[in-house]
Amino acid sequence: MQRALFSVAELRQAIDQLPRTHLAVLPTPLEEAARLSEALGGPPIFFKRDDLTGLGFGGNKTRHLEFILGEALRQGADTIVTGASVQSNFCRQTAAACAKLGLRCVLYLNGEEPDAPQGNLLLDHLAGADVHLVQVRQLPDLIALCEEAAAAERQAGRKPIVVDLWHGIASLGSVSYVDAALELSEQLADLGLMRASIYLSSATATQGGLELAARALGLDWQVVGISPIRTDLAPADVVAGLANEAARRLGLDWRIDAADIENQEDYIGPGYAQPTTEAREALELVASTEGIFLDPVYTAKAMAGLIDHVRAGKLDPSRPVVFLHTGGTPALFAFNHWYAPAQ
Ligand SMILES: Cc1ncc(COP(=O)(O)O)c(C=O)c1O
């Protein structure tokens, strides 16, 4: 275990200095998943239910947006421009948050126009976002399109802010997960649990925030990020970069090296948002033992990683596991072809 570099009060005070707009229902529950642990013959497993953050079907991005949109409002923005995949949960929660705050929302979504919108795309439309479907080689390439759109918004007299999920303002998402880690550590302490392995789907800000909080507070947590996506960027570099940028925003004299981040790319399968047998099994196992629905793109792949680690005997059976459920469940409805009868 490492030495605490900062106290809980110092972290809370640093977080409270930053602009924030309240969007999420907090704290989210921490629930024991006894039937799942029994089915796996593994360590005690708990779910941190960040799929229940409330706004627009919930998810980790609602926490991120409290700080990202808090900062955007402080800068006087009236328009948010962002981009990700066609079934992006971030974009759906951004559309919902913008609707609630009366901001214009412009989305660049990578993917094909479906015959009829489903899942998150349907919700983007319902929330009134200005949706553009485009095709790029990989998701970070969307940012150039967002910058062009922001220039046009400026021409039209509006005050846009571009949210690039891989850099810059996205580090405020990590700040929100420093806050979430304080919440989780209190919930674990109430159960007398002082050590844990934390599994989550992340390749960017969420893991960055957990790493920062766990290390700054000297918590006995092993954070294991499972990446949902392969890009030209190494996930450990992105996670470390966002964690370090979040520390800077919080005024903390702290840095992490990418070499100290554990982020695995072994469970992506053929590619981002492409189903894997293991993810489908994980989704079905969790639904049928706990009545909790994972999503096909992120959390089911992270759970497939956890299940594989339990089965391979990689986990200490006495060390509790917290699975951070980051949400994403609306995408399930766009993946109903998983259940289409074989032709
Ligand atoms: C449901 C869900 N889980 C996990 C993630 C990964 O989060 P991040 O890489 O921002 O930490 C996302 C990102 O869109 C998501 O929608």
Side-chain angles (χ1 to χ4, degrees):
M1 205 172 109
Q2 326 152 53
R3 196 170 52 86
L5 302 172
F6 302 94
S7 67
V8 169
E10 282 170 321
L11 288 192
R12 276 204 205 291
Q13 204 189 9
I15 293 168
D16 289 346
Q17 306 296 315
L18 294 177
R20 180 175 189 170
T21 181
H22 286 278
L23 299 168
V25 180
L26 301 176
T28 56
L30 179 69
E31 294 173 350
E32 185 158 15
R35 280 178 35 80
L36 176 64
S37 325
E38 194 189 329
L40 293 174
I45 299 175
F46 295 80
F47 276 73
K48 176 66 173 159
R49 299 291 307 270
D50 274 12
D51 55 321
L52 302 179
T53 49
L55 178 87
F57 288 97
N60 58 336
K61 307 298 186 169
T62 305
R63 289 189 191 263
H64 293 200
L65 286 161
E66 289 203 340
F67 290 89
I68 291 174
L69 296 185
E71 172 61 19
L73 291 173
R74 186 194 69 78
Q75 291 184 27
D78 56 15
T79 301
I80 305 299
V81 186
T82 192
S85 77
V86 64
Q87 282 298 328
S88 163
N89 300 301
F90 178 71
C91 290
R92 178 248 309 162
Q93 285 161 92
T94 302
C98 285
K100 188 174 164 67
L101 297 171
L103 298 171
R104 175 169 152 74
C105 178
V106 182
L107 300 178
Y108 280 79
L109 301 179
N110 192 37
E112 286 178 19
E113 184 94 51
D115 294 339
Q118 236 315 355
N120 285 311
L121 180 62
L122 171 63
L123 302 175
D124 297 339
H125 284 295
L126 291 176
D130 180 2
V131 175
H132 303 262
L133 280 161
V134 293
Q135 287 180 17
V136 295
R137 193 179 60 84
Q138 54 170 7
L139 295 181
D141 297 344
L142 287 167
I143 297 308
L145 294 174
C146 292
E147 293 292 355
E148 276 171 32
E153 293 290 322
R154 257 177 240 113
Q155 284 280 326
R158 287 189 277 267
K159 292 186 181 156
I161 281 203
V162 173
V163 180
D164 169 351
L165 286 174
W166 293 269
H167 304 97
I169 201 168
S171 61
L172 287 168
S174 295
V175 167
S176 76
Y177 269 86
V178 174
D179 193 49
L182 295 176
E183 184 183 303
L184 175 60
S185 67
E186 256 171 32
Q187 289 172 317
L188 288 171
D190 286 347
L191 297 173
L193 302 174
M194 306 316 284
R195 61 196 195 118
S197 299
I198 317 280
Y199 276 72
L200 76 154
S201 167
S202 180
T204 64
T206 310
Q207 184 174 2
L210 295 181
E211 299 283 358
L212 166 48
R215 289 159 198 267
L217 293 172
L219 299 174
D220 189 355
W221 287 4
Q222 180 203 9
V223 179
V224 183
I226 309 240
S227 187
I229 187 167
R230 256 180 227 102
T231 70
D232 290 346
L233 314 167
D237 286 344
V238 178
V239 168
L242 290 170
N244 289 331
E245 176 61 16
R248 190 199 59 75
R249 286 181 185 273
L250 289 167
L252 306 176
D253 183 13
W254 177 91
R255 279 196 74 73
I256 192 167
D257 215 66
D260 294 327
I261 304 276
E262 183 174 351
N263 188 288
Q264 305 210 357
E265 295 183 279
D266 303 341
Y267 302 96
I268 300 169
Y272 175 74
Q274 297 194 32
T276 65
T277 310
E278 294 76 15
R280 180 174 163 165
E281 279 168 8
L283 209 151
E284 289 176 350
L285 179 66
V286 173
S288 62
T289 53
E290 297 294 339
I292 293 175
F293 298 104
L294 300 176
D295 83 291
V297 180
Y298 296 93
T299 51
K301 288 186 177 175
M303 180 56 75
L306 170 58
I307 292 172
D308 187 42
H309 287 190
V310 172
R311 290 191 176 141
K314 287 190 184 160
L315 298 184
D316 169 353
S318 68
R319 186 180 175 95
V321 171
V322 174
F323 182 82
L324 175 63
H325 189 334
T326 44
T329 41
L332 265 176
F333 303 103
F335 277 74
N336 58 348
H337 50 273
W338 271 13
Y339 284 89
Q343 299 291 308

